[in-house]
Amino acid sequence: MSTFPITKRGADLLKAELHKLKTVDRPTVIQAIADARAQGDLSENADYDAAKERQGFIEGRIAEIEGKLSAAQVIDPASLDAGGRVVFGATVDLEDEESGNPVTYQIVGEDEADLKLGLINISSPIARALIGKEEGDTAEVQAPGGTRRYEIVAVRYQ
């Protein structure tokens, strides 16, 4: 299994979810299964079936998160010194050359990407267009609506 990049914040979020799954969700579903078993006949017990299905989901998610954390290369953006270049973890202030609208993105891993929060996946078209560029450069992004051009206003590592 190859490694994949994730920010320190993203790794902390995964660890918090894993902790909740193991300490809250897993014991709750185990109790639900025990309660459903106490009702008697399991062949027509919808509560039992639902609890077993939920248990399967929880155990699968625990295994998935543990696998991701074991293969993750955690990068702390605050400790980066890329000489002003756009790299994984960097926060980039852009200006759309056509509309003049400012926009800010942080380049993050797949699991932590959320466009509404300005967190873009490292493999997204805009992130790929930005990687390696510096303040003052122009990035051309192939978007569904055509080519968009962004001027890089600032690059921060936070």
Side-chain angles (χ1 to χ4, degrees):
M1 182 181 236
S2 63
T3 63
F4 67 95
I6 188 169
T7 63
K8 183 176 181 319
R9 183 183 145 280
D12 290 345
L13 289 173
L14 281 179
K15 287 175 187 173
E17 180 182 355
L18 181 63
H19 179 73
K20 180 183 177 290
L21 286 168
K22 286 183 169 183
T23 61
V24 177
D25 296 349
R26 183 187 270 170
T28 301
V29 79
I30 289 171
Q31 184 59 49
I33 290 170
D35 293 345
R37 275 195 178 138
Q39 293 175 7
D41 185 15
L42 299 180
S43 63
E44 295 181 18
N45 190 328
D47 291 341
Y48 178 77
D49 292 340
K52 287 298 281 183
E53 187 175 317
R54 177 89 176 121
Q55 182 184 36
F57 171 79
I58 290 170
E59 295 302 327
R61 184 67 180 146
I62 287 171
E64 179 184 5
I65 292 172
E66 286 176 339
K68 285 179 179 182
L69 286 173
S70 69
Q73 177 187 0
V74 180
I75 297 170
D76 184 2
S79 67
L80 292 175
D81 181 19
R85 286 182 302 118
V86 178
V87 295
F88 179 86
T91 300
V92 186
D93 297 325
L94 305 170
E95 183 177 301
D96 187 320
E97 288 191 349
E98 187 175 308
S99 67
N101 292 335
V103 65
T104 300
Y105 294 123
Q106 182 181 15
I107 300 173
V108 297
E110 178 181 334
D111 288 316
E112 50 193 323
D114 186 346
L115 191 56
K116 291 176 185 163
L117 299 176
L119 305 172
I120 58 172
N121 186 346
I122 183 74
S123 61
S124 69
I126 190 164
R128 288 195 316 259
L130 292 171
I131 294 291
K133 301 253 188 309
E134 297 177 346
E135 190 174 313
D137 289 349
T138 299
E140 288 190 11
V141 180
Q142 297 299 328
T147 302
R148 310 276 312 237
R149 293 172 54 88
Y150 294 95
E151 179 184 344
I152 299 173
V153 178
V155 179
R156 301 185 313 273
Y157 311 104
Q158 52 188 12

